[in-house]
Amino acid sequence: MEYRKLGNTGLELSALGFGASSLGGVFHGLNEADGIRAVHTAVDNGINFIDVSPYYGHLKAETVLGKALREIPRDRYILSTKVGRYGHDGINTWDYSGKRAHDSVFESMERLGIDYIDIINVHDIEFADLHQVAEETLPALCELRDKGVVGHVGITDLQLENLKWVVGHTPAGTVESVLNFCHYCLCDDKLLDFLDFFEERGIGVINASPLSMGLLSSRGAPDWHPAPEGLKEACRKAVQYCESVDYPIEKLAMQYSIGNPRISSTLFSTTRPENVMANLDAISGTAPQELVQKVREIVGDEFRTSWKNS
């Protein structure tokens, strides 16, 4: 496993990270025992970065992950969780107030069975008033950082422009990492346009969803996927082409997303130990550039087509 520095944090993350959203049953049904084994399989095979949120499964992902972490020494993993986005009884909720952020940190630590969070993020800031994030949410988290409750502070969002705005409207060193998804994959590399900005400020970059939330998979995008139909159809054609040349698009997508050393870690999510091993096997090779180019040609004008978060 390759390990990469996360900005100026001093942390070194595995190039492939474990996203625990699936442990909340967010995408498919969850067999809890399998999910716990998936976490153990990831850590036992060199993945040291785990990302979760109280929003995933409305507390369920943190709860299940906490059960898995009880059997893993604390120095074997770097843990990231979030504040701001929540939910209960199937209803999504948001609260970016400083008090809620403060309380949420301690609630997450209790569910996870830990007494220290390596990275605490403001979750999906496009749902917030960005001024509140800059002037209230982040200062509350920085206060916990100063007290040693959390190690580092970050922000997450689908919209790269929001991440840049918050970084530009807070004191240097406030934001230490950014997590963005679906913008460094085979059908969208918009993240490249923002790397210089983050790097110049010593901010580490984390990428998520190398399969673009299922667009780049043989299973296909789920019905709820917010991408426009044109992009979905283009990705279906790309999937079919990769099948015709006997090179699974999932493998190509993982190799492509992992391949940029300027990105500290790329997160994938699964509840199946065998999928952990398949992804580890996939990234042992390098993405064939001619195939990457062919997929780009098939995606065509839909390349970099994005959507709103949901």
Side-chain angles (χ1 to χ4, degrees):
M1 177 63 68
E2 179 184 357
Y3 299 89
R4 299 171 181 170
K5 293 180 179 179
L6 180 68
N8 291 338
T9 64
L11 299 175
E12 292 194 3
L13 309 185
S14 49
L16 184 64
F18 186 90
S21 55
S22 290
L23 298 183
V26 175
F27 306 112
H28 307 287
L30 169 69
N31 179 304
E32 187 172 299
D34 283 347
I36 290 171
R37 283 196 295 271
V39 176
H40 293 167
T41 300
V43 175
D44 288 344
N45 285 276
I47 293 175
N48 75 347
F49 180 47
I50 303 172
D51 176 76
V52 70
S53 167
Y55 169 67
Y56 301 146
H58 295 173
L59 310 183
K60 185 174 182 179
E62 284 192 333
T63 301
V64 175
L65 179 59
K67 294 178 182 180
L69 296 180
R70 291 189 194 118
E71 302 175 42
I72 304 173
R74 184 64 181 88
D75 61 358
R76 293 188 65 194
Y77 61 88
I78 294 167
L79 184 66
S80 162
T81 191
K82 308 178 182 76
V83 304
R85 194 170 187 188
Y86 311 100
H88 60 84
D89 298 327
I91 300 172
N92 295 334
T93 61
W94 296 263
D95 187 341
Y96 294 89
S97 67
K99 183 181 186 307
R100 186 71 192 96
H102 174 279
D103 293 347
S104 181
V105 168
F106 289 94
E107 292 165 8
S108 287
M109 289 195 295
E110 183 174 355
R111 282 188 292 271
L112 292 161
I114 58 175
D115 58 8
Y116 175 81
I117 294 171
D118 299 284
I119 307 170
I120 189 68
N121 299 284
V122 187
H123 195 179
D124 284 347
I125 59 175
E126 69 185 89
F127 292 104
D129 177 337
L130 297 185
H131 290 276
Q132 183 184 29
V133 170
E135 298 165 12
E136 183 178 352
T137 325
L138 284 169
L141 298 181
C142 288
E143 183 177 342
L144 291 176
R145 180 178 64 188
D146 294 342
K147 292 179 178 178
V149 177
V150 302
H152 306 281
V153 173
I155 51 178
T156 86
D157 203 11
L158 173 65
Q159 310 300 336
L160 285 153
E161 293 81 2
N162 291 340
L163 299 174
K164 182 177 180 179
W165 189 94
V166 170
V167 169
H169 288 79
T170 52
T174 298
V175 176
E176 298 174 89
S177 66
V178 295
L179 191 162
N180 180 249
F181 56 101
C182 296
H183 286 309
Y184 192 73
C185 56
L186 289 172
C187 58
D188 190 330
D189 66 358
K190 186 178 179 180
L191 179 57
L192 292 176
D193 295 351
F194 293 77
L195 289 180
D196 286 348
F197 176 85
F198 296 131
E199 288 175 350
E200 288 165 2
R201 291 156 179 79
I203 295 171
V205 177
I206 299 164
N207 175 45
S209 199
L211 305 187
S212 198
M213 294 162 48
L215 286 175
L216 301 168
S217 70
S218 55
R219 176 181 288 174
D223 291 340
W224 51 260
H225 200 295
E229 189 54 41
L231 177 58
K232 290 180 180 179
E233 179 58 26
C235 288
R236 282 193 286 265
K237 292 178 179 178
V239 170
Q240 291 167 0
Y241 179 81
C242 288
E243 289 176 348
S244 73
V245 296
D246 198 27
Y247 204 103
I249 198 166
E250 294 91 344
K251 179 177 180 178
L252 183 69
M254 293 297 299
Q255 291 173 337
Y256 175 79
S257 291
I258 292 292
N260 191 329
R262 299 174 72 186
I263 295 171
S264 299
S265 188
T266 292
L267 294 161
F268 76 100
S269 188
T270 185
T271 61
R272 298 175 179 271
E274 59 269 28
N275 288 348
V276 174
M277 296 308 299
N279 283 318
L280 287 165
D281 180 64
I283 65 168
S284 64
T286 303
Q289 288 306 301
E290 65 276 10
L291 186 53
V292 170
Q293 185 57 40
K294 180 62 179 179
V295 167
R296 290 279 178 86
E297 292 173 3
I298 294 170
V299 174
D301 292 342
E302 296 296 334
F303 188 67
R304 287 199 178 192
T305 295
S306 192
W307 57 83
K308 288 291 184 179
N309 206 346
S310 60

